[in-house]
Amino acid sequence: MKTRPAYIAGSDRIPFVKSMTAYRDITLQALMTAPLQFLVTKLKLDGQILGDVALGAVIKSSTDWNLARECVLGTTLDPHTPAYNLQRACGTSLEAVRQIALKISNFQIDNGIAGGCDSNSDLPLMLSTALTRKLTALHHHKNFLARIKILSSLRLSDFRPRWPAVVEPRTHLSMGQHCEKMVKEWNISREAQDALAFTSHQNALAAYKNEFFNDLVSEFEGLNQDGILRADTTYEKLARLKPAFDTPDKGTLTAGNSSPLTDGAAAVFLTSEEAAVYYNLPLLARFVDAEAAAVDFVHGEGLLMAPTLAVSNLLRRNHLSFEDFDFYEIHEAFAGQVLCNLKAWESAAYCRKVLNRDTPLGPIDPSKINIHGSSIALGHPFAATGARITGTLAKMLHQRGRGRGLISVCTAGGMGVAAILEAV
């Protein structure tokens, strides 16, 4: 079957902020609609019917059951533009980019938008199971005595809310607790984690100073810069922070070397070459390929090690090695997670046993990794990170005029998503 290239033609996002701060009164739908509209305005797509729009969120209310479509209807796109929800944890918007690119490549659509959003401020608070069942029965029963009986069965404990938590249901451990296990297994030091976190902040600060983000981040709610970024962060300050997921004498993951709970949204516009010519749009980078993988973390494999598999499989299929890439965008869920993945790619034993490779994949030149900062410094609204990274990498490749970039994102549930972009 004949296919054609799919291209990144633009992206936009709002500043990412720490949850329960600047966006605490903004709905999830409003967060996602904002970068969509900014992107539509920037690319002069007002009134146009796009092929499809794929958006997602990790944490959303049942009232947001048709979030993507509602967001599209809140923009100046032609209302005949279709849209759908999807979710692959922290890899959601990268998966959305992958799906839109595949549809373009297979001539199903000519263009589309992929994106994601998350808010830990607009949190869907759930009722207890007991209260839900009793209220549902109360709603359906019309008999007065039956309703009185249900009301009399209510207990104070029924009103205890169920708070959403980023905890793996099968292990009852948080992502941070799982990552603590990983850094111990791979002998990743606290010093190395703090150093990576400090570098992330320094790179992001330099990017803002050099105006790299000017056309990637649009002002929203009076903000034009990510709220997580700290100009006063020093290595010494990071070293003084207490462990967040383990005891002080055993833990090495802190609030400083981990990505914070973040509110935000991001979107990417993809197109065929023909549609780009028609709409007079630039071709920033070609979407080459993507891969998703998973690990059996329930039985001891590292929760956040799946990107090692996704990247390995992706490179094998495309007959590439690390030497073939100019930029690496590795999502920083935790500094420790990044370092574990890097160390695994350098390990002959791991590459042989887990990746079925005769020789190690690594190492990677540190100067090519997250050169404009990543999730520790910029923030991590779960479903928005993939779109943020895709837009950033596409611009980097366009500016350079040649080369390739590799994206690696770890996710909850022991999954990983990887993608390759190439300069046009």
Side-chain angles (χ1 to χ4, degrees), residues 98-153:
R98 178 192 191 190
Q99 291 186 17
I100 293 296
L102 284 170
K103 291 178 183 182
I104 292 171
S105 182
N106 286 293
F107 294 89
Q108 295 173 5
I109 61 176
D110 290 321
N111 55 26
I113 292 178
C117 57
D118 260 298
S119 171
N120 294 281
S121 300
D122 184 18
L123 203 62
L125 196 59
M126 297 181 289
L127 302 175
S128 69
T129 301
L131 184 59
T132 299
R133 289 172 177 168
K134 290 174 183 178
L135 290 179
T136 301
L138 186 67
H139 176 74
H140 288 287
H141 274 288
K142 303 303 179 184
N143 182 278
F144 178 75
L145 291 177
R147 292 168 70 92
I148 290 296
K149 183 178 180 181
I150 293 168
L151 288 171
S152 65
S153 73

Tab-separated table of all heavy atoms in Angstrom, residues 98-153:
chain	number	residue	atom	x	y	z
A	98	ARG	N	1.182	10.217	17.000
A	98	ARG	CA	1.396	8.992	16.218
A	98	ARG	C	0.159	8.624	15.412
A	98	ARG	O	0.260	8.304	14.213
A	98	ARG	CB	1.753	7.862	17.190
A	98	ARG	CG	1.966	6.498	16.579
A	98	ARG	CD	2.007	5.459	17.707
A	98	ARG	NE	2.460	4.150	17.272
A	98	ARG	CZ	2.391	3.064	18.022
A	98	ARG	NH1	1.899	3.133	19.251
A	98	ARG	NH2	2.834	1.898	17.579
A	99	GLN	N	-1.019	8.687	16.024
A	99	GLN	CA	-2.243	8.289	15.340
A	99	GLN	C	-2.603	9.250	14.212
A	99	GLN	O	-2.995	8.825	13.118
A	99	GLN	CB	-3.383	8.167	16.345
A	99	GLN	CG	-3.226	7.002	17.300
A	99	GLN	CD	-4.437	6.793	18.200
A	99	GLN	OE1	-5.517	7.304	17.921
A	99	GLN	NE2	-4.259	6.051	19.278
A	100	ILE	N	-2.481	10.550	14.465
A	100	ILE	CA	-2.781	11.526	13.417
A	100	ILE	C	-1.794	11.368	12.261
A	100	ILE	O	-2.176	11.422	11.081
A	100	ILE	CB	-2.740	12.959	13.979
A	100	ILE	CG1	-3.889	13.175	14.989
A	100	ILE	CG2	-2.840	13.990	12.852
A	100	ILE	CD1	-5.276	13.083	14.397
A	101	ALA	N	-0.515	11.155	12.588
A	101	ALA	CA	0.501	10.960	11.541
A	101	ALA	C	0.198	9.733	10.696
A	101	ALA	O	0.335	9.755	9.461
A	101	ALA	CB	1.887	10.840	12.177
A	102	LEU	N	-0.225	8.641	11.329
A	102	LEU	CA	-0.556	7.423	10.596
A	102	LEU	C	-1.749	7.636	9.664
A	102	LEU	O	-1.772	7.120	8.540
A	102	LEU	CB	-0.856	6.283	11.576
A	102	LEU	CG	0.356	5.651	12.258
A	102	LEU	CD1	-0.094	4.710	13.378
A	102	LEU	CD2	1.212	4.896	11.244
A	103	LYS	N	-2.729	8.388	10.109
A	103	LYS	CA	-3.901	8.661	9.269
A	103	LYS	C	-3.515	9.495	8.045
A	103	LYS	O	-4.019	9.270	6.946
A	103	LYS	CB	-4.984	9.370	10.087
A	103	LYS	CG	-5.620	8.493	11.147
A	103	LYS	CD	-6.656	9.273	11.957
A	103	LYS	CE	-7.242	8.405	13.060
A	103	LYS	NZ	-8.279	9.120	13.836
A	104	ILE	N	-2.621	10.460	8.268
A	104	ILE	CA	-2.144	11.273	7.142
A	104	ILE	C	-1.339	10.409	6.180
A	104	ILE	O	-1.518	10.462	4.963
A	104	ILE	CB	-1.296	12.457	7.650
A	104	ILE	CG1	-2.178	13.458	8.410
A	104	ILE	CG2	-0.580	13.158	6.493
A	104	ILE	CD1	-1.405	14.536	9.140
A	105	SER	N	-0.452	9.606	6.745
A	105	SER	CA	0.412	8.752	5.930
A	105	SER	C	-0.380	7.782	5.067
A	105	SER	O	0.012	7.467	3.939
A	105	SER	CB	1.374	7.978	6.839
A	105	SER	OG	2.245	7.175	6.093
A	106	ASN	N	-1.529	7.338	5.575
A	106	ASN	CA	-2.357	6.370	4.857
A	106	ASN	C	-3.484	7.020	4.042
A	106	ASN	O	-4.433	6.341	3.647
A	106	ASN	CB	-2.943	5.353	5.839
A	106	ASN	CG	-1.904	4.364	6.326
A	106	ASN	OD1	-1.401	3.544	5.560
A	106	ASN	ND2	-1.546	4.450	7.594
A	107	PHE	N	-3.380	8.338	3.808
A	107	PHE	CA	-4.324	9.078	2.975
A	107	PHE	C	-5.744	9.096	3.543
A	107	PHE	O	-6.702	9.367	2.816
A	107	PHE	CB	-4.350	8.509	1.543
A	107	PHE	CG	-3.075	8.696	0.782
A	107	PHE	CD1	-2.063	7.747	0.856
A	107	PHE	CD2	-2.881	9.821	-0.006
A	107	PHE	CE1	-0.881	7.907	0.149
A	107	PHE	CE2	-1.690	9.991	-0.716
A	107	PHE	CZ	-0.691	9.038	-0.638
A	108	GLN	N	-5.887	8.817	4.836
A	108	GLN	CA	-7.226	8.872	5.436
A	108	GLN	C	-7.642	10.315	5.702
A	108	GLN	O	-8.820	10.652	5.620
A	108	GLN	CB	-7.239	8.065	6.730
A	108	GLN	CG	-7.005	6.583	6.528
A	108	GLN	CD	-6.865	5.830	7.839
A	108	GLN	OE1	-7.028	6.398	8.913
A	108	GLN	NE2	-6.539	4.552	7.759
A	109	ILE	N	-6.676	11.150	6.062
A	109	ILE	CA	-6.905	12.576	6.273
A	109	ILE	C	-5.724	13.340	5.690
A	109	ILE	O	-4.667	12.762	5.418
A	109	ILE	CB	-7.077	12.930	7.771
A	109	ILE	CG1	-5.809	12.566	8.556
A	109	ILE	CG2	-8.296	12.245	8.365
A	109	ILE	CD1	-5.857	12.987	10.035
A	110	ASP	N	-5.889	14.659	5.514
A	110	ASP	CA	-4.800	15.494	4.998
A	110	ASP	C	-4.095	16.274	6.093
A	110	ASP	O	-2.949	16.687	5.930
A	110	ASP	CB	-5.335	16.480	3.951
A	110	ASP	CG	-5.742	15.780	2.668
A	110	ASP	OD1	-5.034	14.844	2.254
A	110	ASP	OD2	-6.778	16.166	2.081
A	111	ASN	N	-4.783	16.494	7.195
A	111	ASN	CA	-4.180	17.227	8.312
A	111	ASN	C	-4.937	16.941	9.594
A	111	ASN	O	-6.015	16.332	9.579
A	111	ASN	CB	-4.157	18.743	8.030
A	111	ASN	CG	-5.544	19.290	7.705
A	111	ASN	OD1	-6.558	18.734	8.116
A	111	ASN	ND2	-5.601	20.384	6.956
A	112	GLY	N	-4.375	17.373	10.711
A	112	GLY	CA	-5.040	17.150	11.992
A	112	GLY	C	-4.234	17.721	13.143
A	112	GLY	O	-3.084	18.147	12.967
A	113	ILE	N	-4.846	17.723	14.288
A	113	ILE	CA	-4.201	18.234	15.497
A	113	ILE	C	-4.149	17.123	16.532
A	113	ILE	O	-5.120	16.381	16.718
A	113	ILE	CB	-4.946	19.450	16.064
A	113	ILE	CG1	-4.808	20.649	15.111
A	113	ILE	CG2	-4.409	19.831	17.444
A	113	ILE	CD1	-5.568	21.891	15.566
A	114	ALA	N	-3.011	17.013	17.204
A	114	ALA	CA	-2.836	16.074	18.318
A	114	ALA	C	-2.467	16.884	19.553
A	114	ALA	O	-1.717	17.859	19.462
A	114	ALA	CB	-1.733	15.075	17.994
A	115	GLY	N	-2.968	16.483	20.697
A	115	GLY	CA	-2.636	17.236	21.902
A	115	GLY	C	-3.075	16.538	23.163
A	115	GLY	O	-3.604	15.423	23.136
A	116	GLY	N	-2.825	17.209	24.267
A	116	GLY	CA	-3.203	16.649	25.557
A	116	GLY	C	-3.193	17.701	26.641
A	116	GLY	O	-2.607	18.783	26.491
A	117	CYS	N	-3.839	17.386	27.728
A	117	CYS	CA	-3.939	18.326	28.846
A	117	CYS	C	-4.114	17.541	30.139
A	117	CYS	O	-4.527	16.388	30.128
A	117	CYS	CB	-5.130	19.263	28.655
A	117	CYS	SG	-6.710	18.378	28.471
A	118	ASP	N	-3.781	18.173	31.225
A	118	ASP	CA	-4.093	17.616	32.538
A	118	ASP	C	-4.120	18.722	33.566
A	118	ASP	O	-3.421	19.744	33.426
A	118	ASP	CB	-3.078	16.541	32.952
A	118	ASP	CG	-3.628	15.131	32.720
A	118	ASP	OD1	-4.659	14.806	33.350
A	118	ASP	OD2	-3.063	14.392	31.906
A	119	SER	N	-4.941	18.523	34.568
A	119	SER	CA	-5.038	19.464	35.672
A	119	SER	C	-5.289	18.694	36.959
A	119	SER	O	-6.252	17.936	37.050
A	119	SER	CB	-6.184	20.458	35.439
A	119	SER	OG	-6.410	21.228	36.599
A	120	ASN	N	-4.406	18.892	37.914
A	120	ASN	CA	-4.631	18.328	39.242
A	120	ASN	C	-5.370	19.323	40.122
A	120	ASN	O	-5.578	19.081	41.310
A	120	ASN	CB	-3.294	17.948	39.873
A	120	ASN	CG	-2.612	16.815	39.146
A	120	ASN	OD1	-2.962	15.659	39.322
A	120	ASN	ND2	-1.645	17.139	38.303
A	121	SER	N	-5.757	20.450	39.514
A	121	SER	CA	-6.556	21.448	40.223
A	121	SER	C	-8.034	21.236	39.956
A	121	SER	O	-8.864	21.287	40.860
A	121	SER	CB	-6.139	22.858	39.779
A	121	SER	OG	-4.780	23.103	40.054
A	122	ASP	N	-8.386	20.994	38.674
A	122	ASP	CA	-9.762	20.671	38.306
A	122	ASP	C	-9.937	19.170	38.492
A	122	ASP	O	-10.090	18.406	37.543
A	122	ASP	CB	-10.014	21.081	36.852
A	122	ASP	CG	-11.466	20.862	36.422
A	122	ASP	OD1	-12.332	20.719	37.307
A	122	ASP	OD2	-11.712	20.820	35.206
A	123	LEU	N	-9.904	18.759	39.759
A	123	LEU	CA	-9.843	17.341	40.085
A	123	LEU	C	-11.240	16.743	40.233
A	123	LEU	O	-12.068	17.272	40.978
A	123	LEU	CB	-9.066	17.156	41.392
A	123	LEU	CG	-8.421	15.805	41.670
A	123	LEU	CD1	-7.371	15.489	40.625
A	123	LEU	CD2	-7.782	15.814	43.056
A	124	PRO	N	-11.537	15.644	39.543
A	124	PRO	CA	-12.842	15.008	39.680
A	124	PRO	C	-12.917	14.224	40.992
A	124	PRO	O	-12.318	13.152	41.133
A	124	PRO	CB	-12.902	14.061	38.475
A	124	PRO	CG	-11.477	13.730	38.196
A	124	PRO	CD	-10.677	14.936	38.576
A	125	LEU	N	-13.610	14.747	41.966
A	125	LEU	CA	-13.743	14.093	43.272
A	125	LEU	C	-14.830	13.029	43.178
A	125	LEU	O	-15.957	13.307	42.763
A	125	LEU	CB	-14.097	15.123	44.346
A	125	LEU	CG	-13.899	14.699	45.798
A	125	LEU	CD1	-12.450	14.329	46.049
A	125	LEU	CD2	-14.331	15.815	46.735
A	126	MET	N	-14.517	11.807	43.575
A	126	MET	CA	-15.456	10.694	43.433
A	126	MET	C	-16.106	10.336	44.766
A	126	MET	O	-15.479	10.450	45.828
A	126	MET	CB	-14.733	9.473	42.870
A	126	MET	CG	-14.170	9.691	41.481
A	126	MET	SD	-13.331	8.215	40.835
A	126	MET	CE	-11.877	8.194	41.883
A	127	LEU	N	-17.353	9.902	44.678
A	127	LEU	CA	-18.069	9.448	45.856
A	127	LEU	C	-17.623	8.029	46.210
A	127	LEU	O	-17.097	7.302	45.379
A	127	LEU	CB	-19.575	9.452	45.594
A	127	LEU	CG	-20.216	10.779	45.183
A	127	LEU	CD1	-21.681	10.554	44.841
A	127	LEU	CD2	-20.072	11.815	46.283
A	128	SER	N	-17.853	7.648	47.445
A	128	SER	CA	-17.553	6.276	47.839
A	128	SER	C	-18.489	5.331	47.093
A	128	SER	O	-19.585	5.719	46.656
A	128	SER	CB	-17.750	6.099	49.351
A	128	SER	OG	-19.133	6.185	49.678
A	129	THR	N	-18.072	4.083	46.949
A	129	THR	CA	-18.893	3.103	46.232
A	129	THR	C	-20.232	2.901	46.928
A	129	THR	O	-21.285	2.812	46.283
A	129	THR	CB	-18.150	1.752	46.150
A	129	THR	OG1	-16.898	1.948	45.481
A	129	THR	CG2	-18.974	0.724	45.389
A	130	ALA	N	-20.194	2.877	48.257
A	130	ALA	CA	-21.437	2.675	49.028
A	130	ALA	C	-22.418	3.819	48.791
A	130	ALA	O	-23.615	3.592	48.560
A	130	ALA	CB	-21.114	2.565	50.516
A	131	LEU	N	-21.906	5.068	48.830
A	131	LEU	CA	-22.787	6.217	48.636
A	131	LEU	C	-23.310	6.262	47.206
A	131	LEU	O	-24.490	6.577	46.980
A	131	LEU	CB	-22.040	7.511	48.970
A	131	LEU	CG	-22.876	8.802	48.900
A	131	LEU	CD1	-24.062	8.720	49.853
A	131	LEU	CD2	-22.016	10.018	49.214
A	132	THR	N	-22.480	5.930	46.248
A	132	THR	CA	-22.904	5.916	44.846
A	132	THR	C	-24.067	4.944	44.647
A	132	THR	O	-25.069	5.273	43.991
A	132	THR	CB	-21.729	5.509	43.932
A	132	THR	OG1	-20.671	6.464	44.077
A	132	THR	CG2	-22.159	5.447	42.476
A	133	ARG	N	-23.940	3.747	45.220
A	133	ARG	CA	-25.000	2.748	45.058
A	133	ARG	C	-26.297	3.172	45.739
A	133	ARG	O	-27.393	2.975	45.195
A	133	ARG	CB	-24.517	1.405	45.611
A	133	ARG	CG	-23.436	0.752	44.732
A	133	ARG	CD	-22.841	-0.477	45.385
A	133	ARG	NE	-21.867	-1.120	44.495
A	133	ARG	CZ	-21.038	-2.072	44.881
A	133	ARG	NH1	-21.069	-2.509	46.140
A	133	ARG	NH2	-20.183	-2.600	44.024
A	134	LYS	N	-26.164	3.760	46.905
A	134	LYS	CA	-27.368	4.172	47.644
A	134	LYS	C	-28.064	5.344	46.949
A	134	LYS	O	-29.293	5.383	46.860
A	134	LYS	CB	-26.997	4.531	49.076
A	134	LYS	CG	-26.593	3.316	49.907
A	134	LYS	CD	-26.091	3.698	51.291
A	134	LYS	CE	-25.637	2.452	52.062
A	134	LYS	NZ	-25.098	2.782	53.412
A	135	LEU	N	-27.286	6.295	46.449
A	135	LEU	CA	-27.885	7.435	45.755
A	135	LEU	C	-28.514	6.997	44.433
A	135	LEU	O	-29.558	7.523	44.029
A	135	LEU	CB	-26.825	8.509	45.509
A	135	LEU	CG	-26.318	9.255	46.746
A	135	LEU	CD1	-25.254	10.284	46.351
A	135	LEU	CD2	-27.460	9.948	47.484
A	136	THR	N	-27.886	6.049	43.764
A	136	THR	CA	-28.450	5.529	42.516
A	136	THR	C	-29.775	4.821	42.785
A	136	THR	O	-30.761	5.001	42.052
A	136	THR	CB	-27.465	4.543	41.847
A	136	THR	OG1	-26.237	5.216	41.580
A	136	THR	CG2	-28.039	4.002	40.548
A	137	ALA	N	-29.813	4.030	43.858
A	137	ALA	CA	-31.055	3.339	44.226
A	137	ALA	C	-32.133	4.345	44.610
A	137	ALA	O	-33.308	4.192	44.244
A	137	ALA	CB	-30.790	2.385	45.389
A	138	LEU	N	-31.714	5.393	45.313
A	138	LEU	CA	-32.661	6.429	45.728
A	138	LEU	C	-33.272	7.120	44.515
A	138	LEU	O	-34.470	7.439	44.500
A	138	LEU	CB	-31.938	7.452	46.611
A	138	LEU	CG	-32.800	8.530	47.268
A	138	LEU	CD1	-33.725	7.915	48.312
A	138	LEU	CD2	-31.921	9.595	47.911
A	139	HIS	N	-32.456	7.332	43.498
A	139	HIS	CA	-32.924	8.002	42.285
A	139	HIS	C	-33.945	7.146	41.530
A	139	HIS	O	-34.905	7.671	40.956
A	139	HIS	CB	-31.717	8.302	41.382
A	139	HIS	CG	-32.091	8.906	40.061
A	139	HIS	ND1	-32.514	10.219	39.927
A	139	HIS	CD2	-32.112	8.368	38.800
A	139	HIS	CE1	-32.773	10.467	38.656
A	139	HIS	NE2	-32.541	9.370	37.951
A	140	HIS	N	-33.745	5.836	41.533
A	140	HIS	CA	-34.597	4.957	40.742
A	140	HIS	C	-35.861	4.511	41.479
A	140	HIS	O	-36.872	4.202	40.844
A	140	HIS	CB	-33.808	3.723	40.280
A	140	HIS	CG	-32.804	4.040	39.209
A	140	HIS	ND1	-33.172	4.320	37.910
A	140	HIS	CD2	-31.448	4.138	39.252
A	140	HIS	CE1	-32.097	4.564	37.190
A	140	HIS	NE2	-31.028	4.456	37.974
A	141	HIS	N	-35.798	4.445	42.809
A	141	HIS	CA	-36.968	4.014	43.574
A	141	HIS	C	-37.982	5.150	43.684
A	141	HIS	O	-37.645	6.262	44.067
A	141	HIS	CB	-36.565	3.565	44.986
A	141	HIS	CG	-36.137	2.125	45.048
A	141	HIS	ND1	-37.027	1.083	44.920
A	141	HIS	CD2	-34.916	1.566	45.235
A	141	HIS	CE1	-36.367	-0.065	45.022
A	141	HIS	NE2	-35.081	0.208	45.206
A	142	LYS	N	-39.222	4.856	43.343
A	142	LYS	CA	-40.287	5.853	43.447
A	142	LYS	C	-41.141	5.642	44.700
A	142	LYS	O	-41.846	6.547	45.141
A	142	LYS	CB	-41.190	5.793	42.195
A	142	LYS	CG	-40.427	5.992	40.890
A	142	LYS	CD	-39.665	7.316	40.857
A	142	LYS	CE	-38.891	7.482	39.550
A	142	LYS	NZ	-38.069	8.723	39.563
A	143	ASN	N	-41.075	4.441	45.280
A	143	ASN	CA	-41.848	4.127	46.480
A	143	ASN	C	-41.297	4.909	47.669
A	143	ASN	O	-40.105	4.873	47.969
A	143	ASN	CB	-41.784	2.619	46.748
A	143	ASN	CG	-42.604	2.229	47.949
A	143	ASN	OD1	-42.138	2.358	49.074
A	143	ASN	ND2	-43.813	1.739	47.692
A	144	PHE	N	-42.222	5.609	48.379
A	144	PHE	CA	-41.806	6.487	49.467
A	144	PHE	C	-41.110	5.713	50.583
A	144	PHE	O	-40.057	6.119	51.079
A	144	PHE	CB	-43.031	7.216	50.030
A	144	PHE	CG	-42.706	8.102	51.197
A	144	PHE	CD1	-42.063	9.315	51.028
A	144	PHE	CD2	-43.035	7.704	52.504
A	144	PHE	CE1	-41.763	10.123	52.115
A	144	PHE	CE2	-42.730	8.501	53.582
A	144	PHE	CZ	-42.103	9.715	53.396
A	145	LEU	N	-41.670	4.568	50.980
A	145	LEU	CA	-41.085	3.788	52.068
A	145	LEU	C	-39.711	3.234	51.687
A	145	LEU	O	-38.795	3.186	52.518
A	145	LEU	CB	-42.030	2.643	52.457
A	145	LEU	CG	-43.336	3.072	53.131
A	145	LEU	CD1	-44.224	1.856	53.408
A	145	LEU	CD2	-43.035	3.816	54.444
A	146	ALA	N	-39.573	2.841	50.425
A	146	ALA	CA	-38.281	2.329	49.956
A	146	ALA	C	-37.217	3.423	50.007
A	146	ALA	O	-36.066	3.181	50.382
A	146	ALA	CB	-38.417	1.780	48.537
A	147	ARG	N	-37.636	4.633	49.662
A	147	ARG	CA	-36.689	5.765	49.684
A	147	ARG	C	-36.282	6.092	51.115
A	147	ARG	O	-35.114	6.405	51.386
A	147	ARG	CB	-37.316	6.976	48.998
A	147	ARG	CG	-37.505	6.788	47.493
A	147	ARG	CD	-38.385	7.882	46.889
A	147	ARG	NE	-37.717	9.169	46.883
A	147	ARG	CZ	-36.984	9.647	45.878
A	147	ARG	NH1	-36.843	8.898	44.782
A	147	ARG	NH2	-36.413	10.816	45.948
A	148	ILE	N	-37.234	6.013	52.038
A	148	ILE	CA	-36.932	6.269	53.450
A	148	ILE	C	-35.947	5.227	53.972
A	148	ILE	O	-35.000	5.531	54.721
A	148	ILE	CB	-38.222	6.250	54.301
A	148	ILE	CG1	-39.088	7.474	53.969
A	148	ILE	CG2	-37.888	6.230	55.788
A	148	ILE	CD1	-38.448	8.809	54.318
A	149	LYS	N	-36.141	3.979	53.579
A	149	LYS	CA	-35.255	2.898	54.018
A	149	LYS	C	-33.820	3.132	53.524
A	149	LYS	O	-32.844	2.913	54.250
A	149	LYS	CB	-35.781	1.570	53.489
A	149	LYS	CG	-34.977	0.357	53.959
A	149	LYS	CD	-35.584	-0.942	53.450
A	149	LYS	CE	-34.758	-2.144	53.940
A	149	LYS	NZ	-35.345	-3.427	53.428
A	150	ILE	N	-33.704	3.593	52.269
A	150	ILE	CA	-32.367	3.866	51.715
A	150	ILE	C	-31.723	5.017	52.459
A	150	ILE	O	-30.542	4.957	52.838
A	150	ILE	CB	-32.468	4.183	50.202
A	150	ILE	CG1	-32.922	2.947	49.435
A	150	ILE	CG2	-31.121	4.678	49.667
A	150	ILE	CD1	-33.318	3.224	48.004
A	151	LEU	N	-32.486	6.070	52.712
A	151	LEU	CA	-31.949	7.230	53.418
A	151	LEU	C	-31.503	6.864	54.832
A	151	LEU	O	-30.480	7.348	55.322
A	151	LEU	CB	-32.998	8.345	53.470
A	151	LEU	CG	-33.271	9.074	52.153
A	151	LEU	CD1	-34.470	10.001	52.289
A	151	LEU	CD2	-32.038	9.877	51.728
A	152	SER	N	-32.251	5.997	55.465
A	152	SER	CA	-31.913	5.600	56.841
A	152	SER	C	-30.672	4.710	56.888
A	152	SER	O	-30.059	4.541	57.948
A	152	SER	CB	-33.097	4.870	57.483
A	152	SER	OG	-33.357	3.649	56.816
A	153	SER	N	-30.302	4.141	55.732
A	153	SER	CA	-29.118	3.274	55.691
A	153	SER	C	-27.817	4.060	55.517
A	153	SER	O	-26.721	3.494	55.608
A	153	SER	CB	-29.256	2.255	54.553
A	153	SER	OG	-29.091	2.872	53.292
